[in-house]
Amino acid sequence: MDGDTITRPTLSDVAARAGCSPSTASLAFSGTGPVSDATREKVLAAAKELHYAGPDPRARSLRRGRSGIVGVVIDDRVSEAFRDPVNIAMLDGVSEAIGEIDAALLLLTAGAGSDKPVSLETAPLDAVVLFGCSTTLERSISMLTQRGIPAVVIEGDAGENVPEIALDNREATRLGAEHLRELGHERVGIVVLPLAPDRARGALTEERAASSAVATATERLAGARDVFPDAAGVVASGSYLDEGLIAGRELLTATPRPTAIIAQSDLLAAGVIRAAEELGLRVPEDLSVVGFDGVRVDGLDYDLTTLVQPSQAKGRAAGEAIVRMLAGEHPSSVTFTSTFHRGATTAPPRVAD
Amino acid sequence: MDGDTITRPTLSDVAARAGCSPSTASLAFSGTGPVSDATREKVLAAAKELHYAGPDPRARSLRRGRSGIVGVVIDDRVSEAFRDPVNIAMLDGVSEAIGEIDAALLLLTAGAGSDKPVSLETAPLDAVVLFGCSTTLERSISMLTQRGIPAVVIEGDAGENVPEIALDNREATRLGAEHLRELGHERVGIVVLPLAPDRARGALTEERAASSAVATATERLAGARDVFPDAAGVVASGSYLDEGLIAGRELLTATPRPTAIIAQSDLLAAGVIRAAEELGLRVPEDLSVVGFDGVRVDGLDYDLTTLVQPSQAKGRAAGEAIVRMLAGEHPSSVTFTSTFHRGATTAPPRVAD
DNA sequence: TAGTTTAGTCGAATCGATTCGATCGAATCG
DNA sequence: CGATTCGATCGAATCGATTCGACTAAACTA
């Protein structure tokens, strides 16, 4: 009404109108320091009249040295990363933990395509959570430490001073594999998560296994190989049901056919089961399937035998580590353990095959 | 090595070491303005020696008036909002569009719990996308306009100058309903998306329908009622398969049983189909089901008859609107249209029922 | 050769708030 | 009553970069 100027009012404007100095106005707004009730009200009234919406976050964050923003780096595009409930749960955990210091999450993609995650350099970040980003990880971390921005890595090879939120991938998978061996299985197939950022699909060769850049997949593979050293494997191009279907078809049409399949995620396992159904195989009578993650796969009728990992807790732990780092502490790495869930998708192999 | 001081180097430090003024150093870094190659190299060398990682985003954004951050407001917690692929697709669209101006996404939750979305006030945002946030919407928008931060609303009642990305919810649902009527259906049930931020589950009463705060649900409901004015309805507490299952059970155990169900989302539809299977009903012979969204529901064996909406495009459009607003333009609202997909979950009702 | 352009550099103001130390009046205390 | 606190307020420095106008020297035009 009273002359909308193009420029927004500043705290000084408010102070001028309230008849006090900017410093006092600042104190009145932030609640820090002693300010008389009369003055505070005058300032607030002036602010209302001028349609002043509170201090500019940019200026405030420059002065305070904090922006209240925590970055989350994923190396897919958004739609890919969030197809897996595990990632969503982790993100949720992070969000919850850092919400306690009123921070918000900045979603950053460090796609294989873009050479540098431009935003990592240019965003006003207080801290960063790296979601097991394979290749770009090293570069990202060195940049962050140079900037003095604390970082936490979830399942990835972190550097010296970077706390890591880890999972007992190898031991857990071994547990699942041993379960299969105890049931009597000998011919086992493995559906492997992507081993390289290019997400190439295809049979698992020694060469590919050796040059893997993704810790999670490698560790789970090692766990399976601990029990079944020469199990055949197929690498999927992502943790999706469709990929499990493709991989399952491939493994199940080989001769001799495996009697059990270890999938590195529940979504992959669900796909494998679908493939088995397609081929007229019954689960678990004709084929045992073990998954990983312990997520509810919508639409899967089976109670999946799997390794339940605490995804949300992992995210939460990452968030809490960040909160503590911002408070000046030096949290140490944490390793979470998965628990074996004996579902209805594993059984002894058929005697006469 | 050479004395790690606690404070990070600033551009002035670099300039001092390079033997030039801060202004020149700034030019050398940003690439703006004429700088001799010799000077540029000196500056870059000095930066490297001092482990200077580039200008501080906080200071830069204060001066430039831009932070490169676009907020996305969802009114659930992260894990809820991203269970529906539609939301993920939209987010992906936004992310893609604003990626072109090298902006990143800040995830903000305006949960029903927190009185004020604290981050909306305190985050350095250039613009905001509001994901059809029911109640908090008005307050959020007024706060943003006061701040001078441009906003775009996806499926929600935006204010005067706020562009809206809309969908033909009513017309599309009517199309689906008419399809059912043409097949001969008369007793139709509706599974309704949450009508209020409290996400209360239960039978659809006129009262609840009238006091709805969520545009999408209301519009789709109206479309169904255009064709079947007195169809029974059940309100779900979210767009999840489980909720569809619960709602489906309720609708399908009523007498007389409906011969068709219109679900307001594909996930709900999948749940309804599951409920039908539980009750020994065949789809589409005993029950026709129409969904909405056109997402692939993992694990659903049916080719769902549904209304396919361009989720990703909607997000993209929102992102593009933001880009244009940041460029000083005034993009107008856009309404997207859904296309009817005749799948295999609808058929004429059984003659003798 | 005088006059004009131009590339390169610099100084200083600016973005908008926060914060430390100083100040001043009033109230308290010995 | 003089000295000491304490509460309220203000001034000025600061956060770290960007940017505009000014200035210098070299190159070019007539």
Side-chain angles (χ1 to χ4, degrees):
Chain A
M1 293 302 163
D2 45 310
D4 254 25
T5 46
I6 301 178
T7 57
R8 303 277 130 200
T10 74
L11 188 53
S12 300
D13 298 337
V14 173
R17 188 175 183 96
C20 68
S21 74
S23 34
T24 305
S26 172
L27 296 183
F29 255 98
S30 65
T32 328
V35 180
S36 73
D37 293 345
T39 314
R40 188 196 321 285
E41 276 170 35
K42 266 197 297 182
V43 171
L44 262 40
K48 196 152 290 173
E49 287 170 24
L50 265 54
H51 300 294
Y52 178 73
D56 184 328
R58 284 177 281 260
R60 169 199 288 261
S61 82
L62 170 59
R63 185 68 242 255
R64 299 241 257 226
R66 285 277 170 86
S67 63
I69 294 180
V70 174
V72 171
V73 182
I74 55 182
D75 57 5
D76 294 303
R77 57 183 296 170
V78 173
S79 61
E80 295 291 312
F82 293 161
R83 271 176 73 179
D84 195 328
V86 171
N87 288 332
I88 297 181
M90 288 199 290
L91 191 72
D92 188 58
V94 177
S95 160
E96 192 180 292
I98 67 159
E100 279 164 25
I101 53 167
D102 280 333
L105 284 183
L106 190 70
L107 233 47
L108 302 170
T109 48
S114 63
D115 204 11
K116 279 181 188 176
V118 60
S119 329
L120 250 197
E121 300 177 322
T122 59
L125 300 168
D126 288 349
V128 171
V129 180
L130 294 149
F131 269 50
C133 322
S134 38
T135 6
T136 46
L137 210 153
E138 270 181 66
R139 200 171 41 201
S140 301
I141 288 191
S142 80
M143 140 131 310
L144 289 170
T145 52
Q146 200 173 132
R147 266 232 143 77
I149 298 177
V152 173
V153 176
I154 298 186
E155 292 194 63
D157 203 4
E160 319 149 30
N161 293 321
V162 182
E164 184 188 340
I165 310 297
L167 188 66
D168 61 340
N169 285 307
R170 182 170 188 165
E171 296 71 20
T173 307
R174 189 192 303 138
L175 239 56
E178 276 165 0
H179 165 67
L180 288 176
R181 190 177 53 190
E182 279 160 21
L183 288 172
H185 291 274
E186 287 172 357
R187 285 198 314 282
V188 172
I190 308 176
V191 183
V192 183
L193 288 168
L195 290 170
D198 64 355
R199 310 183 145 257
R201 201 183 280 156
L204 176 70
T205 60
E206 291 315 312
E207 185 185 16
R208 290 183 77 172
S211 67
S212 165
V214 182
T216 309
T218 316
E219 291 165 16
R220 294 189 190 171
L221 181 58
R225 286 271 165 90
D226 283 345
V227 180
F228 301 106
D230 36 39
V234 171
V235 183
S237 84
S239 180
Y240 316 123
L241 196 141
D242 301 342
E243 285 294 321
L245 182 57
I246 295 171
R249 279 182 194 139
E250 187 157 340
L251 285 171
L252 293 175
T253 50
T255 13
R257 184 166 54 217
T259 62
I261 290 185
I262 296 175
Q264 291 194 344
S265 83
D266 284 354
L267 291 179
L268 289 173
V272 168
I273 292 177
R274 187 66 44 85
E277 286 173 343
E278 263 186 19
L279 296 167
L281 300 172
R282 287 165 306 160
V283 176
E285 292 84 355
D286 302 322
L287 178 73
S288 287
V289 178
V290 176
F292 203 114
D293 286 344
V295 301
R296 277 187 42 81
V297 181
D298 271 344
L300 183 68
D301 278 331
Y302 298 81
D303 174 20
L304 192 63
T305 296
T306 192
L307 291 134
V308 184
Q309 68 155 306
S311 317
Q312 215 258 357
K314 272 166 60 190
R316 224 196 130 74
E320 279 163 2
I322 291 236
V323 170
R324 292 177 51 192
M325 290 175 96
L326 290 177
E329 298 175 47
H330 291 277
S332 49
S333 297
V334 190
T335 299
F336 282 84
T337 52
S338 316
T339 59
F340 178 72
H341 168 76
R342 162 78 131 120
T345 57
T346 45
R350 285 204 296 172
V351 203
D353 59 309
Chain B
M1 296 296 163
D2 46 311
D4 254 25
T5 48
I6 302 178
T7 57
R8 305 277 128 200
T10 72
L11 188 53
S12 300
D13 299 337
V14 174
R17 187 175 183 98
C20 67
S21 73
S23 33
T24 306
S26 172
L27 296 183
F29 255 97
S30 66
T32 329
V35 180
S36 73
D37 292 346
T39 312
R40 188 196 322 284
E41 276 170 34
K42 265 197 298 182
V43 171
L44 262 40
K48 195 153 290 175
E49 286 170 24
L50 263 52
H51 300 295
Y52 177 74
D56 183 328
R58 282 178 281 261
R60 171 200 287 262
S61 80
L62 171 59
R63 186 67 242 251
R64 297 242 261 225
R66 284 278 170 87
S67 62
I69 293 179
V70 174
V72 171
V73 182
I74 55 183
D75 57 5
D76 293 303
R77 58 182 297 169
V78 173
S79 60
E80 295 290 313
F82 293 161
R83 272 176 72 181
D84 194 328
V86 172
N87 287 331
I88 298 181
M90 288 198 292
L91 191 72
D92 188 60
V94 177
S95 161
E96 192 181 292
I98 67 159
E100 279 163 25
I101 54 168
D102 280 333
L105 284 184
L106 189 71
L107 234 46
L108 301 170
T109 50
S114 64
D115 204 14
K116 280 181 187 176
V118 58
S119 329
L120 250 196
E121 299 179 322
T122 58
L125 301 168
D126 287 349
V128 171
V129 180
L130 294 148
F131 268 51
C133 318
S134 39
T135 8
T136 46
L137 211 154
E138 269 180 66
R139 201 170 43 204
S140 302
I141 288 191
S142 81
M143 138 131 309
L144 290 169
T145 52
Q146 199 172 134
R147 266 231 142 76
I149 299 177
V152 173
V153 176
I154 298 186
E155 292 196 59
D157 201 5
E160 319 149 28
N161 294 321
V162 182
E164 184 189 339
I165 309 298
L167 188 65
D168 60 341
N169 284 306
R170 181 169 190 166
E171 295 71 21
T173 306
R174 190 191 302 140
L175 239 57
E178 276 165 0
H179 165 66
L180 288 176
R181 191 177 52 189
E182 279 161 20
L183 287 173
H185 291 274
E186 286 172 359
R187 284 198 314 282
V188 172
I190 309 176
V191 183
V192 183
L193 289 167
L195 289 171
D198 64 356
R199 306 181 147 260
R201 202 184 279 155
L204 175 70
T205 60
E206 291 315 309
E207 188 186 14
R208 291 182 77 173
S211 68
S212 164
V214 182
T216 309
T218 315
E219 291 165 13
R220 293 188 191 170
L221 181 58
R225 286 272 165 90
D226 283 345
V227 180
F228 300 106
D230 35 37
V234 171
V235 183
S237 85
S239 179
Y240 317 123
L241 196 141
D242 301 343
E243 285 295 322
L245 181 58
I246 295 172
R249 281 181 192 138
E250 188 159 336
L251 285 172
L252 293 174
T253 50
T255 12
R257 184 163 56 219
T259 60
I261 289 184
I262 298 175
Q264 292 195 343
S265 85
D266 284 354
L267 291 179
L268 288 173
V272 168
I273 293 177
R274 188 67 42 85
E277 287 173 343
E278 263 185 21
L279 296 167
L281 300 171
R282 289 165 304 160
V283 174
E285 292 83 354
D286 302 321
L287 179 74
S288 288
V289 178
V290 177
F292 202 114
D293 286 345
V295 303
R296 276 188 41 83
V297 181
D298 271 345
L300 182 69
D301 278 332
Y302 298 81
D303 174 18
L304 191 63
T305 295
T306 193
L307 290 134
V308 184
Q309 67 153 307
S311 317
Q312 214 258 358
K314 270 165 60 191
R316 224 195 130 76
E320 280 165 0
I322 291 237
V323 170
R324 291 177 50 192
M325 288 175 96
L326 290 176
E329 298 175 46
H330 291 278
S332 48
S333 297
V334 191
T335 300
F336 282 84
T337 51
S338 317
T339 59
F340 178 72
H341 168 73
R342 161 77 132 125
T345 57
T346 45
R350 284 206 297 172
V351 201
D353 60 311

